[in-house]
Amino acid sequence: MKPGFFGHIFLTVLSIAYPALWYYGREAGWFVWLAAAMCGLWLLRTLTAKLPQQRYAALFITLFFAAVLVFRRHDSMYWYPVLVNLMMLAVFGGSLFAGQTVIERLARLQQPDLPEKAVRYTRRVTQVWCVFFIINGTLAALLAQLGRYDWWAVYTGVIAYVLMGMLFAGEWLYRKLVLKV
């Protein structure tokens, strides 16, 4: 096991559970505990990231949670899903201007000699994910801004993951059944 492996797993699980933990724990005094745990885990992610862009993104979120703790802004905790969507948009969107998109790199893990048609398809799928991150982050931001914390918890903790799964599964089915790739 590499250093940070269990921290990365714990961060993933905590991030998935974050909306429910924050929504139900905000009145129970979990603010400091949750913000400190997220700050520490993102710091660990910063220190163990392989790529510079991963390190910068992790550092950005580490600094976010550090600022939340220093300034004791409980309402800032609702903005974490927005930041994650911005981070994912930066990764996927930034890859549109690189030699290979994120989706193309993933596709080449299974098929190193990817035909040009497939490269174009991976670019389109990357664009679709960018649109998803824009819409998803915008909805999370609107719910936080409007103070609809019950809706925020349901959307960011359940609906967003269902939508992600549907997009992932829909793309996979389209690729297998229609494109026959």
Side-chain angles (χ1 to χ4, degrees):
M1 300 279 163
K2 295 185 179 189
F5 175 77
F6 289 109
H8 182 70
I9 295 296
F10 190 57
L11 175 60
T12 301
V13 170
L14 193 59
S15 289
I16 291 169
Y18 179 89
L21 289 172
W22 176 237
Y23 182 74
Y24 292 109
R26 64 196 165 128
E27 301 297 326
W30 293 7
F31 168 71
V32 171
W33 174 85
L34 185 56
M38 294 300 286
C39 186
L41 288 168
W42 277 103
L43 178 59
L44 179 63
R45 182 79 176 115
T46 301
L47 299 173
T48 59
K50 294 176 187 161
L51 301 173
Q53 56 268 43
Q54 291 173 332
R55 199 171 7 267
Y56 298 137
L59 179 61
F60 176 72
I61 294 183
T62 301
L63 293 173
F64 165 75
F65 279 111
V68 166
L69 284 165
V70 168
F71 296 108
R72 301 274 191 221
R73 293 294 310 253
H74 292 69
D75 57 331
S76 298
M77 296 286 279
Y78 295 102
W79 293 91
Y80 174 61
V82 177
L83 292 178
V84 170
N85 277 281
L86 285 172
M87 183 175 67
M88 295 303 290
L89 177 61
V91 169
F92 279 65
S95 77
L96 290 169
F97 302 99
Q100 291 181 342
T101 64
V102 169
I103 303 294
E104 181 183 345
R105 282 190 297 236
L106 292 172
R108 286 187 185 278
L109 293 175
Q110 292 181 339
Q111 186 180 355
D113 194 24
L114 212 56
E116 185 57 36
K117 178 182 175 184
V119 170
R120 285 191 306 275
Y121 176 74
T122 59
R123 177 166 291 280
R124 179 66 59 184
V125 172
T126 302
Q127 292 168 340
V128 168
W129 276 103
C130 287
V131 170
F132 173 82
F133 294 129
I134 290 168
I135 294 169
N136 198 44
T138 300
L139 285 172
L142 283 171
L143 292 171
Q145 187 66 35
L146 294 171
R148 296 308 311 244
Y149 303 133
D150 50 348
W151 292 8
W152 174 90
V154 171
Y155 181 78
T156 61
V158 178
I159 296 171
Y161 291 114
V162 169
L163 292 173
M164 266 186 266
M166 288 172 56
L167 180 56
F168 184 79
E171 187 280 324
W172 183 83
L173 282 172
Y174 177 79
R175 190 169 14 101
K176 295 298 178 188
L177 299 176
V178 176
L179 297 180
K180 300 194 191 297
V181 178

